[in-house]
Every structure is written in C-alpha cells, then in structure tokens.
Amino acid sequence: IEISDTILSTYDLYGRIPAEIGRFYNLKELRLRNCLLQGPIPQEIENCELLEVLDLGSDADSIIKNNISGFPENITEFHMQKLEYLDLSNNSISNGLEFVWNCQVLKYLNISGNNISESFDVESILTNADPRYDALQELQYLDISNNEIPYLRIGNFTLGTTEYLDQFQDLF
C-alpha cells in the first residue's frame, strides 16, 4: 500500500493497532498520539522498514491517552533501520524495548511515563562502552523519567532518572 505519512493524533481512535499496519511498506511517519489505543504493538510493524517517525505517546496532562503495553518479545531482528524518532511516552510499556538498541539512526527516544524497570548506564550509551548500545551513536534526546528504573548511572554519578542527555555531554 502506497501511504507514506499518517498523522491521526487526538482522534477518536480506540482499540488495538491492527496487524495490517505491516502492509504499509512505504510508511515513513506514523503519529497516533493521544488516541485510545491499547495492547501491544503488533509484530507486523517491523515490515514498515522505511518508518522514520513513530509516535504512539500521550501527553501527560491529556484526558485521552494511549495505553500501549509494549512490543512483542519475539522481535529479534528489528528491520526499521531508518527510525529516527520514537515516542512511546505515557503508556504502560514494561518490556520489548530490546529492539531500540538496534536502531542505528535513532536521534530521539522518549519512553517516559511507562513501567520500565531496566537500569540505564548513560555513560555506556554516550561513549559506546557497552556493545549493547553500539547502534545508538546518533541519539541526541533521551527521556526515561517517570518509570520504575532502579538507577541511572552517569559516569561516577548514580541518579534516580533524568530527562535530557545533553545536560551530561560535558561529563565525558
């Protein structure tokens, strides 16, 4: 199907994202912000290999919010290598984010306001000290606030959480 951009923010959409989303091979931008979507993101979304922008987030103060629960755990080879912008803020995501570490051109990542409990070592993300984060060399914005992250390590500092990586660029 030849659709390349879909922006349906704050529309009266509800229910699950259908598996048929994977048929939009040429989709470059999908913004379904502040809708009433729920459940996991379907595995078929990985067929949208040209996707650059994926915004399934919700504004913290919005009455209408998405309730996305995560990505399928069996996404191992994430094919959206052009993904630059990923906003999953204020959902119910707790798992399935391993694919993010393979997004080589990802510049913006907002996973704030979820149920994520994985610890983050920001120094390893910024300096590529951990091979798990090798692909994140382009990352410019990271918001992991308002989650259940036990700690956030930045250099010699261990913090609760932070919002902006650029505040800490000078540490390295």
Side-chain angles (χ1 to χ4, degrees):
I1 299 177
E2 292 294 322
I3 295 175
S4 63
D5 297 331
T6 302
I7 302 172
L8 297 171
S9 297
T10 334
Y11 279 82
D12 193 16
L13 297 176
Y14 57 90
R16 295 179 178 266
I17 299 172
E20 289 77 16
I21 193 75
R23 296 178 56 207
F24 296 102
Y25 302 112
N26 295 316
L27 191 63
K28 292 182 181 176
E29 186 171 333
L30 179 62
R31 294 182 187 265
L32 299 173
R33 186 169 194 80
N34 294 326
C35 295
L36 292 169
L37 300 173
Q38 61 185 1
I41 297 168
Q43 181 165 354
E44 291 79 2
I45 200 164
E46 70 180 342
N47 295 331
C48 303
E49 295 182 17
L50 301 178
L51 199 61
E52 296 173 2
V53 175
L54 180 58
D55 184 351
L56 301 175
S58 295
D59 298 328
D61 58 351
S62 177
I63 295 171
I64 299 173
K65 292 187 178 191
N66 287 331
N67 192 19
I68 304 291
S69 59
F71 283 83
E73 292 182 29
N74 56 349
I75 289 184
T76 54
E77 293 292 324
F78 193 67
H79 301 289
M80 291 192 279
Q81 294 301 312
K82 296 186 180 282
L83 192 63
E84 294 181 13
Y85 182 101
L86 179 61
D87 190 330
L88 301 170
S89 59
N90 300 303
N91 277 287
S92 300
I93 296 171
S94 61
N95 70 328
L97 289 171
E98 295 78 18
F99 77 90
V100 170
W101 314 133
N102 295 321
C103 296
Q104 296 179 359
V105 296
L106 190 65
K107 295 178 182 170
Y108 180 99
L109 176 60
N110 186 346
I111 52 175
S112 65
N114 281 285
N115 299 319
I116 298 166
S117 59
E118 175 184 351
S119 296
F120 285 83
D121 185 341
V122 174
E123 180 179 16
S124 293
I125 293 172
L126 291 174
T127 63
N128 298 319
D130 184 334
R132 179 173 64 152
Y133 306 123
D134 280 349
L136 295 178
Q137 295 180 23
E138 300 294 321
L139 192 63
Q140 298 171 7
Y141 178 95
L142 172 64
D143 188 343
I144 57 175
S145 62
N146 298 316
N147 275 289
E148 298 173 13
I149 297 169
Y151 76 89
L152 178 67
R153 194 172 83 84
I154 302 172
N156 294 328
F157 304 99
T158 301
L159 307 171
T161 57
T162 188
E163 292 188 13
Y164 305 101
L165 280 179
D166 59 359
Q167 297 175 22
F168 303 99
Q169 291 286 356
D170 295 333
L171 293 175
F172 309 104

